[in-house]
Amino acid sequence: MENSIIPSLWFDQNAKEAFDLYCQTFPNSHIESNSPIVVEALLNGVKFIGINGGPMFKPNPSISFMVICESAEEIDRIWNTLSVDGNVLMPLNSYPWSAYYGWVADKYGVNWQLYQGNVSDTNQQAIVPTLMYCGPQQGKCETAVQFYEELFKDFHSNGILRYPEGDYKGEIQHTQFLVNGFTLMAMDSGVAQDFTFSEGISLTILCQDQAEIDYYWNRITQQGQESMCGWCKDEFGVSWQIVPTQIATYLQNPGAGEALMKMKKIIIKDLIG
C-alpha cells in the first residue's frame, strides 16, 4: 500500500540495523532507500521511515504498532525475533480481545502488539499505529479523535469500545479509524502510566503542495507547538511531520538542506531556490 501517513521511528544511529531486522521479521518487507540520516522501508506492505537522530529521543509505548496476524504460528515466529533482548509488556496468551496476543518492546525500544485476527478488519493493513493516551494525556483519547475527524477531510470511524468499569470507566478502551485511507487505532491507558507521547515516534503527512502544508501545519499548531524542519506537535503531544511529497527531490537543490534547517513550517519555494 502507498500510505498517506508514514510512521517515523527515531533511532540512535542504528536505523539501518533495526530495519534490517524488521525486514527479516515481517513478510512483504524490504528497504527502499538508505542514507546516513533516513532509512525508508516497506514492512508487511506498510511504509515506514527510520531516522538516525541520535540519543535525544526514544520510542515508548504511547505509540505502538498493532501487527495483525492470521495464525498463532505467525505470531510465534515474529515474537521470537522481536523479543530477543527486548522487554515483554504483556506475555503471549489468550485475552478477551484476542485468542492469541502479546505486547513486546524490541531491543530498540519500538513497541509491537501482536494480535491474532483478520487483516480484512483493518482495511487490509497488516501493521496499524496505535496511540495510547496516558500520563498527562489520560482520558483525552475521545477529544483527540474528534480533533482528527475535523483535521482530516477523509475520516471514517470503525467504532468505539469504552471501559465498562473501574477507574477509567467511560474512557476509550479501543477505537479504530481511517484517515486519508490509512488505518489508525487509539485508546486511553487502562492503568496509570508515567510517560506520554514523544518525538521517538512521529507521524509524517505527505502533502501535495504548499496549500496542503499550510492547512495541516496551521490546524495542528493552532493549539499545539511548532518545532523545526516540518516537525510540530498537536495539543495532545503527538508529533507530526508535515512535508511535501517531493521532499527528497527538493533537497537535491543547492542550498536546500541549509534552508530546511532554518525552517519551522516547510516553505517549498525556499527549497527550490
Side-chain angles (χ1 to χ4, degrees), residues 142-234:
E142 185 164 15
T143 305
V145 172
Q146 289 171 351
F147 170 71
Y148 302 142
E149 183 173 4
E150 296 170 359
L151 174 68
F152 293 99
K153 296 170 183 176
D154 180 3
F155 180 98
H156 176 75
S157 174
N158 287 335
I160 291 176
L161 178 67
R162 299 182 185 274
Y163 290 105
E165 56 188 19
D167 294 340
Y168 304 109
K169 181 179 179 180
E171 293 185 8
I172 293 183
Q173 185 175 12
H174 178 81
T175 184
Q176 179 179 307
F177 51 96
L178 280 83
V179 294
N180 295 351
F182 187 69
T183 305
L184 295 170
M185 295 178 180
M187 61 182 289
D188 288 302
S189 179
V191 296
Q193 308 286 5
D194 60 0
F195 56 84
T196 189
F197 301 113
S198 80
E199 290 87 343
I201 305 287
S202 58
L203 299 173
T204 298
I205 302 177
L206 298 178
C207 300
Q208 296 299 317
D209 52 29
Q210 189 65 51
E212 197 170 7
I213 290 175
D214 293 347
Y215 169 78
Y216 283 112
W217 185 270
N218 294 340
R219 291 295 302 272
I220 289 172
T221 62
Q222 186 174 7
Q223 301 294 328
Q225 295 178 327
E226 294 184 334
S227 188
M228 300 301 294
C229 305
W231 287 67
C232 59
K233 287 185 179 183
D234 63 29

Side-chain angles (χ1 to χ4, degrees), residues 12 22 74 90 137 152 157 180 186 201 211 221 245-246 269:
D12 187 4
Y22 300 153
E74 184 180 4
M90 297 183 71
Q137 304 300 332
F152 293 99
S157 174
N180 295 351
I201 305 287
T221 62
T245 303
Q246 301 298 324
K269 66 178 179 61

Side-chain angles (χ1 to χ4, degrees), residues 66 90-93 95 97-103 113-115:
M66 189 77 70
M90 297 183 71
L92 284 177
N93 210 329
Y95 293 90
W97 56 87
S98 177
Y100 202 42
Y101 166 92
W103 185 331
Q113 299 186 60
L114 307 188
Y115 172 92

Side-chain angles (χ1 to χ4, degrees), residues 99-118:
Y100 202 42
Y101 166 92
W103 185 331
V104 62
D106 65 30
K107 63 182 177 180
Y108 305 103
V110 179
N111 280 256
W112 306 90
Q113 299 186 60
L114 307 188
Y115 172 92
Q116 186 173 355
N118 300 308

